[in-house]
Amino acid sequence: MKQIGIVGAGVMGRGLAHDLARTGHSAILVDVNADILDSAREDISRNLRLYQMFGHQQVDDIDGVLDRIEYTHDLTAIEKAEFVIENVTECWSTKKDVYARLATICPSIVVFAANTSAIPITRIGAVSGRPDRTIGMHFMNPVPLKPVVEVIRGYHTSDTTVDTAKSLLAGLGKEAVIVNDAPGFVSNRVLMLSVNEAIYLVQDGVASVEDIDRIFKSCFGHKMGMLETADLIGLDTILFSIEVLYESFNDSKYRPCPLLKKMVDAGLLGRKAGKGFYSY
């Protein structure tokens, strides 16, 4: 596979386009927002140079890599893709509409991979028109620097689809860890609960933002604290994900922290907004 479609040019979509183009693939990056596409183009160009400068990645021809990315707001451009990775917002109604459109645009042999934080892959497969060729591929941020991807097998996902996803990831130099389908999968079923609880600690005045993160970094060896991680992911994504878990399990332990809701309403979404628990 050489031509990969990416739906959604947010943090994850642009990271994927960067990584795909760097490894010799052609990427079609689609987003309905022209400003987001312009921002993605600038970020990818800057990050390619930064990663090389700091020795994270070696790229012989940065301009050649950039030329392998097509930017468009026209979803029908995705019909050229041999494999599609969807990265739109963690809102079920939005995802449902995107998959309904993709089903009419893409040839039936094309695999749909959902890069979702918590929404079950079986549910996505049910609206994709190809449940056996729908799979979850949960990339971590920043995509170009993370060597492992959580791959989620839906109820109807075929072995051939799993093998296809693993082959694409191998071409990116990444390892797949295969897990079964459940809301939040492995990573976010644990992580979102932990982040939400850390936000409760701030709300309840148990400790400052800095001290909460310092405990996780100094005592447990985490590279980032829970609240730094929340800012990196985006507090809106955290809220969407914890709401999916709360609705899916009907368990009060997943109840979203009121402070998290308040910050999202205030537009304090983390790094992408310039301010969350920290200022950027």
Side-chain angles (χ1 to χ4, degrees), residues 112-175:
F112 292 165
N115 185 16
T116 174
S117 297
I119 296 174
I121 304 308
T122 302
R123 184 191 299 180
I124 293 173
V127 299
S128 71
R130 58 194 75 190
D132 59 321
R133 290 181 298 286
T134 301
I135 194 166
M137 292 174 73
H138 184 205
F139 291 84
M140 308 300 164
N141 187 27
V143 175
L145 302 183
K146 298 295 184 179
V148 176
V149 177
E150 185 179 30
V151 174
I152 305 99
R153 180 196 289 269
Y155 185 86
H156 294 290
T157 304
S158 69
D159 290 341
T160 300
T161 297
V162 173
D163 290 341
T164 302
K166 289 169 67 177
S167 176
L168 176 61
L169 291 174
L172 294 174
K174 298 185 188 299
E175 179 185 354

Side-chain angles (χ1 to χ4, degrees), residues 116-252:
T116 174
S117 297
I119 296 174
I121 304 308
T122 302
R123 184 191 299 180
I124 293 173
V127 299
S128 71
R130 58 194 75 190
D132 59 321
R133 290 181 298 286
T134 301
I135 194 166
M137 292 174 73
H138 184 205
F139 291 84
M140 308 300 164
N141 187 27
V143 175
L145 302 183
K146 298 295 184 179
V148 176
V149 177
E150 185 179 30
V151 174
I152 305 99
R153 180 196 289 269
Y155 185 86
H156 294 290
T157 304
S158 69
D159 290 341
T160 300
T161 297
V162 173
D163 290 341
T164 302
K166 289 169 67 177
S167 176
L168 176 61
L169 291 174
L172 294 174
K174 298 185 188 299
E175 179 185 354
V177 176
I178 313 297
V179 303
N180 291 320
D181 192 24
F185 326 123
V186 172
S187 58
N188 279 344
R189 186 166 171 180
V190 175
L191 177 63
M192 296 301 168
L193 183 62
S194 300
V195 169
N196 193 50
E197 198 62 34
I199 299 171
Y200 269 113
L201 291 172
V202 177
Q203 176 182 278
D204 296 345
V206 176
S208 69
V209 168
E210 294 78 8
D211 284 345
I212 291 168
D213 280 349
R214 183 182 176 192
I215 286 170
F216 280 94
K217 290 188 289 186
S218 300
C219 299
F220 299 111
H222 292 191
K223 291 184 178 180
M224 299 179 69
M226 289 295 169
L227 301 170
E228 289 175 303
T229 300
D231 275 358
L232 176 65
I233 294 171
L235 300 193
D236 51 344
T237 300
I238 298 289
L239 179 57
F240 277 134
S241 300
I242 200 74
E243 285 177 337
V244 168
L245 292 170
Y246 186 44
E247 292 165 5
S248 297
F249 292 110
N250 292 313
D251 191 329
S252 61

